[in-house]
Amino acid sequence: QVRLVESGGGSVQAGQSLRLSCAASGYSSSTSGMGWFRQAPGKEREGVAHIDSDGTTTYADSVKGRFTISQDNAKTKNTLYLQMNSLKPEDTAMYYCAVLLQPQITYIQALGLMTGKWCGYNYWGQGTQVTVSS
């Protein structure tokens, strides 16, 4: 079964950085993409960043240029990262690592992720809290 365990969250000041990690197992990296989404109290889930099975990345407009998604090994892809720089108070949320059971997101899904309207993952972990204070 798919198992996803996030780590690396914490409390930081605005402008600082955090690196989230996700230990992943039980899925096929050749036929699945992975991503991060977040959810703040009282708000909808928001897709943050996605990486296709071929390494193509897509980012929400709200984090583009500040966040970077990556995987540790092109072959095993068993650890997913999210490097978050120049953090803002509005980035405060629970962050989840997720798996999408398709190798590439579609054009429509990518547009939705970029605008914060798509978050259609099949599996996700328990989450790690990120709190950014001003």
Side-chain angles (χ1 to χ4, degrees):
Q1 77 229 36
V2 177
R3 178 174 167 82
L4 302 164
V5 181
E6 303 94 337
S7 62
S11 296
V12 297
Q13 298 284 328
Q16 293 186 325
S17 300
L18 279 174
R19 190 193 196 200
L20 306 183
S21 299
C22 172
S25 62
Y27 78 104
S28 171
S29 61
S30 63
T31 59
S32 302
M34 295 192 72
W36 293 90
F37 68 87
R38 64 189 181 187
Q39 189 167 24
K43 294 190 175 182
E44 298 286 325
R45 290 178 181 174
E46 177 189 19
V48 173
H50 183 85
I51 185 165
D52 289 328
S53 61
D54 65 359
T56 302
T57 57
T58 305
Y59 294 94
D61 291 341
S62 59
V63 307
K64 197 168 186 178
R66 300 187 297 122
F67 291 11
T68 303
I69 188 171
S70 63
Q71 289 173 303
D72 65 334
N73 181 289
K75 190 172 183 179
T76 64
K77 301 178 184 176
N78 56 4
T79 305
L80 184 72
Y81 301 101
L82 185 69
Q83 177 66 42
M84 304 186 295
N85 298 329
S86 303
L87 282 161
K88 304 175 181 179
E90 51 262 44
D91 294 319
T92 296
M94 185 73 80
Y95 283 71
Y96 299 86
C97 167
V99 168
L100 179 67
L101 296 179
Q102 57 187 81
Q104 283 91 33
I105 58 173
T106 67
Y107 176 70
I108 298 298
Q109 288 170 329
L111 283 179
L113 188 147
M114 283 188 265
T115 56
K117 292 181 172 59
W118 180 83
C119 188
Y121 290 98
N122 301 102
Y123 299 95
W124 52 89
Q126 296 297 308
T128 185
Q129 178 68 37
V130 172
T131 303
V132 185
S133 56
S134 56

